[in-house]
Amino acid sequence: MMSEIVQVVKVGIADMNIVKAPHVIRTCGLGSCVGVVVYDLTKEVAGMAHVMLPDSSLAKSENMNVAKYADTAIEELIRRVIEAGGRNGHLKAKMAGGAQMFQFRTGTTDMMRIGPRNVEAVRQQLQRFRIPIVAEDVGGSSGRTIEFHPKTGILLIRTVNQGVREM
Amino acid sequence: MSYFERMDAVHMDILKEIGNIGAGHAATALSKLLNKRIEMTIPDVRIISFDEMMDIVGGADNVVAAVFLRIEGDAPGNMFFVLSIEQAERFIQQMTGDEQFKLEQDCSELPLSALQELGNILAGSYLSSLSDFTNLNLHPSVPALSIDMIGAILSYGLIEMSRVGDHVIVVDTAIHEEHQPDDRVNGHFFLLPDPESFHIIFRALGVEHDE
């Protein structure tokens, strides 16, 4: 048994990162954003992205942050997981987030529905690269903090009212 | 961050003054409502990353009570009134007269709608003073209340800004009750104009800003 100190790799908003066992990877306070994990269990390597917007066509600036948009983030995430030792064909995905934090009775714009749109966009992108989604916890109206363990493939999801769940 | 390079000291001062006037009126309204002295910090206008914004209020997974409203009209944007859980409880206790009230034990309709109404009054007075000052037509949407992780809540206000870059301009004013035992700041007003709204606000106040 190794007694190596387990580090928590952090993923910020509109950010992505890679982790190898025994370390874990975490992103905090997902609301309408989606946290997506792509991993290869046998290689014990995983990548996590904190996606903010569904499509890079929404961008109004040239120098774009690829981690922000579902269409650009998933592609880059897969590339980096493979670079870190993951194998094409063995990759799986888990995702959480995409809540609708506020319910407005009037004037609901498209931007207010951003949570469900993010979920749909991430799903489409994973399908595009033929990566199966083995577990997901999406929608609802609660914020989530998620932590992924590449050794076991377990995703921990913490919400304010329901405590911590394993997935 | 080319979008922000066009902001100079004059623009930042204007935003600071807007925060000053808006939050000043809101603090006065709060003071009248609770019959208490409310103190306010000098507004802080900052260009910061999304993660830094979460750090102002204790990090993305810190649980808070927040009232969110969308600003509609000439210069659209978002406004948040963020309270620590303890401060939200104290305000509810003062408004409802139930001194034992705790958010964890009681999620019934009345205390929450009292808090929502508080947020509505404060944000409304912030906005109407802003509207008077700039002569712009600004009106608030119906406010929404959420008690959850701050990251999940504030990210709604960052969506429009995130389309132009990875930073946000935030006008932050903090308030606290007088004679609090600790000097912890307990409430924040965050004004987050949409990217297109900045030059509208500046022009309304007679300051040029290249679009």
Side-chain angles (χ1 to χ4, degrees):
Chain A
M1 208 44 199
M2 274 194 299
S3 59
E4 196 177 343
I5 294 166
V6 174
Q7 286 171 2
V8 179
V9 176
K10 289 226 169 172
V11 178
I13 300 165
D15 184 21
M16 66 168 72
N17 232 322
I18 297 289
V19 68
K20 283 181 181 173
H23 307 304
V24 302
I25 192 164
R26 181 193 294 163
T27 196
C28 294
L30 290 164
S32 59
C33 300
V34 171
V36 54
V37 181
V38 171
Y39 64 103
D40 182 337
L41 194 57
T42 53
K43 295 284 179 188
E44 300 182 350
V45 57
M48 182 188 280
H50 185 133
V51 170
M52 208 172 175
L53 293 168
D55 199 280
S56 55
S57 64
L58 291 164
K60 293 178 185 170
S61 69
E62 300 96 57
N63 43 0
M64 211 184 62
N65 169 4
V66 291
K68 198 187 292 171
Y69 307 94
D71 60 331
T72 49
I74 304 299
E75 191 168 353
E76 175 66 9
L77 190 63
I78 293 166
R79 194 189 66 73
R80 288 177 60 175
V81 171
I82 289 172
E83 196 179 74
R87 294 159 306 160
N88 225 333
H90 291 76
L91 300 181
K92 292 188 166 67
K94 292 189 177 185
M95 68 165 166
Q100 200 162 350
M101 302 297 298
F102 298 100
Q103 311 291 334
F104 284 99
R105 270 157 288 183
T106 53
T108 311
T109 63
D110 239 17
M111 277 301 161
M112 291 290 132
R113 276 197 67 258
I114 202 80
R117 287 173 63 200
N118 280 336
V119 170
E120 199 40 51
V122 168
R123 205 174 270 149
Q124 263 177 25
Q125 289 301 317
L126 289 168
Q127 209 163 48
R128 184 177 140 216
F129 294 99
R130 300 202 160 69
I131 295 175
I133 303 171
V134 294
E136 62 174 45
D137 177 32
V138 297
S141 59
S142 294
R144 296 170 173 93
T145 285
I146 62 171
E147 187 178 287
F148 186 78
H149 296 241
K151 178 115 189 135
T152 55
I154 286 173
L155 183 68
L156 297 176
I157 301 168
R158 189 168 66 79
T159 55
V160 171
N161 292 319
Q162 292 163 351
V164 180
R165 278 174 300 150
E166 266 185 27
M167 196 173 81
Chain B
M1 40 192 272
S2 64
Y3 182 84
F4 301 114
E5 280 163 12
R6 296 192 291 269
M7 294 274 170
D8 61 22
V10 175
H11 296 130
M12 298 300 259
D13 280 347
I14 288 174
L15 294 175
K16 219 173 256 184
E17 189 52 25
I18 280 173
N20 213 0
I21 292 171
H25 280 81
T28 307
L30 180 61
S31 173
K32 279 186 187 148
L33 196 69
L34 300 175
N35 205 11
K36 280 211 155 155
R37 251 185 94 87
I38 300 292
E39 291 176 347
M40 184 183 107
T41 61
I42 294 164
D44 198 2
V45 179
R46 277 191 273 181
I47 299 175
I48 49 178
S49 73
F50 303 148
D51 291 323
E52 286 168 333
M53 164 123 197
M54 304 309 168
D55 290 340
I56 298 179
V57 266
D61 58 356
N62 186 30
V63 178
V64 296
V67 175
F68 167 49
L69 48 89
R70 179 88 190 134
I71 302 166
E72 288 154 3
D74 293 336
N78 301 299
M79 170 164 267
F80 293 89
F81 179 50
V82 180
L83 294 170
S84 66
I85 294 296
E86 304 79 47
Q87 185 66 64
E89 284 170 345
R90 204 149 44 224
F91 282 158
I92 291 174
Q93 288 163 3
Q94 287 163 12
M95 284 187 293
T96 60
D98 173 4
E99 283 175 19
Q100 306 303 316
F101 178 81
K102 291 277 173 227
L103 277 168
E104 276 172 20
Q105 293 149 19
D106 186 354
C107 285
S108 54
E109 197 78 359
L110 179 73
L112 293 187
S113 73
L115 191 59
Q116 182 160 342
E117 187 51 25
L118 177 77
N120 193 18
I121 292 168
L122 300 190
S125 57
Y126 191 122
L127 263 194
S128 64
S129 67
L130 192 56
S131 181
D132 289 345
F133 177 56
T134 57
N135 250 328
L136 292 168
N137 171 29
L138 303 171
H139 47 93
S141 71
V142 178
L145 174 74
S146 177
I147 296 169
D148 213 313
M149 301 173 188
I150 188 70
I153 291 171
L154 282 185
S155 58
Y156 265 81
L158 304 178
I159 291 170
E160 286 299 331
M161 214 58 186
S162 72
R163 297 173 64 184
V164 294
D166 292 313
H167 289 75
V168 64
I169 300 182
V170 57
V171 183
D172 169 20
T173 320
I175 55 158
H176 54 99
E177 287 179 65
E178 196 187 31
H179 307 311
Q180 286 281 93
D182 47 42
D183 58 352
R184 225 171 11 159
V185 167
N186 279 310
H188 282 271
F189 288 100
F190 290 119
L191 176 69
L192 299 161
D194 285 354
E196 296 80 13
S197 295
F198 286 100
H199 79 276
I200 298 170
I201 294 170
F202 295 142
R203 203 168 45 203
L205 295 169
V207 176
E208 282 309 313
H209 181 245
D210 300 330
E211 187 30 19

